[in-house]
Amino acid sequence: MGRLVVVSNRIADPRKTASGGLAVALGQALESSGGLWFGWSGKVVEDGTPGEGDLHVHQAGKVQLATVDLSREDHDSYYLGYSNGVLWPVFHYRLDLADFDAGYIGGYRRVNQMFAHKLASLLQPDDVIWVHDYHLIPLAAELRAMGCKQRMGFFLHIPLPPPLILAAVPAHDWLMRCLFAYDLVGFQSESDVAHFSRYVGTETSADILGEHEFRAYGKTLQVQAFPIGIDVDEFVELGKGRESQDMFNQMRTEYSRRRLLLGVERLDYSKGLPQRLKAFRQLLQDYPENLGSATLIQIAAPSRESVDAYAALKQELESLCGAINGDHGELDWMPVRYIHRSVARKRLPGLYRAASVALVTPLRDGMNLVAKEFIVAQDPDDPGVLVLSRFAGAAEQMKDALLVNPYDTSGTAQTMQRAMQMPLEERQRRHQALMAGIREHDVHWWRERFLNALAAIPAP
Ligand code: GDG
């Protein structure tokens, strides 16, 4: 197979420890094969100053990194506007939070077109191109329009909603047609594939050739679920490091008389944080034996702060945490430790390991890597318990977690209580089963399955 070219909105130097599911998974994928990683530099050039669209190329070990700067106008319409103000909320079923400003789509198309032009100048004929995520849906269509014939695959890291939700996006037919410029489209879960198939069946005149094969617009497309995993060995090693051990010891000492529940994520409305806090409050009310003991540490790493919906969520969380601590806290015990900062990746395994219960309760999530990291970080002899939303893509694979409906406050509280009281033997059994699945379906398995499926498709 030819050289691997990965395209994603943001790129990261694979030699540095990055934060964020996409960066972590892709860095590891490229490192082992070598190749080119193309994306936005993260720099915004103010309108009217030179530099917009400049291409920067440099070598990072075996990987060539190529980035482009964006103008303020393009950044605001492509990144903040269309990607994170329209596609992110709609694909997470939040039509109420979508901002269908008609001006955004022009920027989205323009940036994808500009990326295609810059990328085309770096391509070799036998390259295999793997495009990632909702920012770049039209990229292949733009490359094809310029005559690029390479194999192209697309992976969507976020969920694909059912057809009637998708159809609320004014340009949904154009977006879905753009997917047919790829040879292979991968989703996180079987339910995403089912939504795609139903969309194609009801909204297009495509021929459904098989469970995974569709023909429309003169093009055949393969579609499959490729649930993303983590690099288990890397995470285990991280857990043996000094930073992680220090974190573990510090937490165990500080909370020796308490039971720790833990949530770790970007501050995002898809992650179900207010619902989780309300369920935790319910736990304290319904099971008062937890008063003075159960402590929820909630890490909510800052994310997309210039999108309005995120600022509103931050306020809601601060007020909920204040109310819970005010109503239930004691001089020597605060029920919620809310931290609106990121934790260093090297310390994360120690934090996970110190917790008795992880609360991973998104309202919708493509996959959710925190659920997998938590399991890998546990002591197999005395493992913590994972409470997982049935609406995370990970729930399709992680049936041995305690699955909850995050909208059901008292049901979730009840499950938190069950998690805290779970006998050792059951904890060990569940952990072992979850660990086996995570190890079998790790990030290397994910990458190889996707790239093998792409390689198996005859060149266009
Ligand atoms: C998208 C999809 C899909 C979190 N807080 C901190 C921190 N993290 C790291 C975690 C994990 C990653 O970020 C989060 O990954 P998730 O999968 O949980 O969620 P998204 O960021 O929304 O990722 C998601 C994923 O893409 C991959 O396809 O699973 O569904 O939404 O690795 O550890 N890392 C550090 N400090 C933090 O405070 N260092």
Side-chain angles (χ1 to χ4, degrees):
M1 199 160 92
R3 178 179 69 151
L4 175 62
V5 175
V6 169
V7 190
S8 56
N9 175 58
R10 293 302 305 275
I11 74 168
D13 185 334
R15 296 167 306 177
K16 298 183 184 153
T17 36
S19 109
L22 183 60
V24 174
L26 288 185
Q28 290 158 354
L30 266 172
E31 267 260 286
S32 59
S33 69
L36 168 67
W37 194 351
F38 180 96
W40 170 40
S41 61
K43 277 201 212 107
V44 178
V45 178
E46 292 308 329
D47 297 339
T49 52
E52 172 193 344
D54 280 0
L55 180 66
H56 314 281
V57 183
H58 76 275
Q59 198 70 30
K62 284 195 276 176
V63 184
Q64 195 180 24
L65 302 177
T67 56
V68 181
D69 303 340
L70 289 180
S71 70
R72 169 67 55 196
E73 188 188 345
D74 282 352
H75 167 263
D76 290 357
S77 53
Y78 150 80
Y79 180 72
L80 296 180
Y82 204 72
S83 298
N84 288 319
V86 176
L87 297 181
W88 179 273
V90 173
F91 282 38
H92 287 90
Y93 299 55
R94 293 299 301 270
L95 292 177
D96 57 317
L97 295 178
D99 175 8
F100 294 112
D101 183 311
Y104 294 157
I105 194 161
Y108 183 71
R109 283 181 169 180
R110 199 164 55 238
V111 169
N112 271 276
Q113 212 160 37
M114 189 263 281
F115 279 179
H117 274 91
K118 301 286 173 191
L119 177 61
S121 68
L122 301 170
L123 290 179
Q124 298 161 10
D126 63 344
D127 281 345
V128 172
I129 304 168
W130 189 4
V131 179
H132 290 261
D133 234 359
Y134 58 102
H135 317 83
L136 300 170
I137 293 171
L139 193 78
E142 297 295 350
L143 287 168
R144 297 277 186 232
M146 294 168 58
C148 296
K149 301 223 172 344
Q150 288 86 349
R151 278 203 193 94
M152 296 185 203
F154 177 80
F155 184 76
L156 185 69
H157 288 258
I158 64 176
L160 188 79
L164 279 181
I165 291 186
L166 200 53
V169 180
H172 66 96
D173 40 0
W174 169 73
L175 276 173
M176 297 302 275
R177 185 189 176 124
C178 283
L179 284 180
F180 278 83
Y182 293 95
D183 302 298
L184 173 68
V185 168
F187 294 110
Q188 297 273 26
S189 69
E190 293 298 341
S191 72
D192 300 324
V193 174
H195 293 156
F196 179 84
S197 179
R198 269 175 45 213
Y199 179 93
V200 167
T202 56
E203 301 280 335
T204 76
S205 54
D207 295 324
I208 301 183
L209 304 178
E211 205 184 336
H212 299 297
E213 204 173 11
F214 303 84
R215 184 157 183 85
Y217 320 111
K219 185 85 177 41
T220 302
L221 173 65
Q222 305 275 342
V223 174
Q224 269 189 65
F226 299 93
I228 197 168
I230 65 167
D231 187 332
V232 176
D233 294 329
E234 185 252 5
F235 210 73
V236 168
E237 281 310 306
L238 212 58
K240 292 180 188 157
R242 192 177 49 77
E243 284 94 338
S244 176
Q245 304 280 350
D246 286 352
M247 183 70 168
F248 175 77
N249 292 330
Q250 187 190 331
M251 298 310 284
R252 275 286 157 103
T253 311
E254 190 158 337
Y255 293 95
S256 57
R257 291 180 302 116
R258 318 265 188 234
R259 301 298 302 283
L260 265 194
L261 298 95
L262 176 68
V264 176
E265 43 259 298
R266 289 182 303 103
L267 194 156
D268 192 292
Y269 50 79
S270 66
K271 303 292 183 185
L273 293 167
Q275 289 78 0
R276 181 183 309 164
L277 283 162
K278 287 174 193 163
F280 179 68
R281 180 171 61 192
Q282 195 74 41
L283 171 84
L284 299 177
Q285 284 161 4
D286 293 353
Y287 307 94
E289 64 267 35
N290 292 306
L291 292 170
S293 158
T295 305
L296 169 60
I297 296 189
Q298 178 61 58
I299 311 289
S303 178
R304 302 175 199 165
E305 288 181 301
S306 44
V307 177
D308 288 347
Y310 290 74
L313 174 66
K314 179 170 175 275
Q315 280 205 336
E316 185 183 2
L317 288 177
E318 283 166 3
S319 128
L320 260 171
C321 293
I324 297 172
N325 283 341
D327 290 345
H328 298 285
E330 303 286 347
L331 286 173
D332 63 347
W333 169 72
M334 279 298 150
V336 183
R337 288 271 165 109
Y338 168 71
I339 295 155
H340 180 47
R341 275 191 315 280
S342 158
V343 173
R345 185 165 159 76
K346 287 184 173 165
R347 294 162 68 92
L348 269 183
L351 181 60
Y352 288 141
R353 198 177 174 108
S356 304
V357 177
L359 302 176
V360 181
T361 54
L363 305 180
R364 288 284 158 191
D365 217 326
M367 174 55 57
N368 196 296
L369 298 178
V370 169
K372 297 185 175 183
E373 292 169 352
F374 173 78
I375 294 298
V376 170
Q378 296 309 299
D379 171 0
D381 294 330
D382 184 19
V385 179
L386 173 63
V387 174
L388 177 63
S389 163
R390 56 174 296 185
F391 304 125
E396 266 185 19
Q397 296 175 301
M398 302 179 76
K399 301 280 187 221
D400 285 284
L402 294 184
L403 296 186
V404 291
N405 167 7
Y407 295 96
D408 176 0
T409 309
S410 42
T412 304
Q414 204 177 7
T415 307
M416 289 179 186
Q417 176 71 355
R418 181 175 166 208
M420 286 199 295
Q421 299 198 320
M422 189 180 284
L424 178 63
E425 211 177 305
E426 183 179 352
R427 284 192 278 127
Q428 288 172 335
R429 181 180 56 69
R430 287 176 182 272
H431 175 261
Q432 206 180 1
L434 288 166
M435 192 64 202
I438 294 170
R439 207 168 247 299
E440 190 181 344
H441 300 135
D442 68 357
V443 74
H444 308 293
W445 171 88
W446 169 74
R447 177 193 66 224
E448 275 151 34
R449 255 188 90 233
F450 188 95
L451 291 176
N452 288 342
L454 188 54
I457 297 170

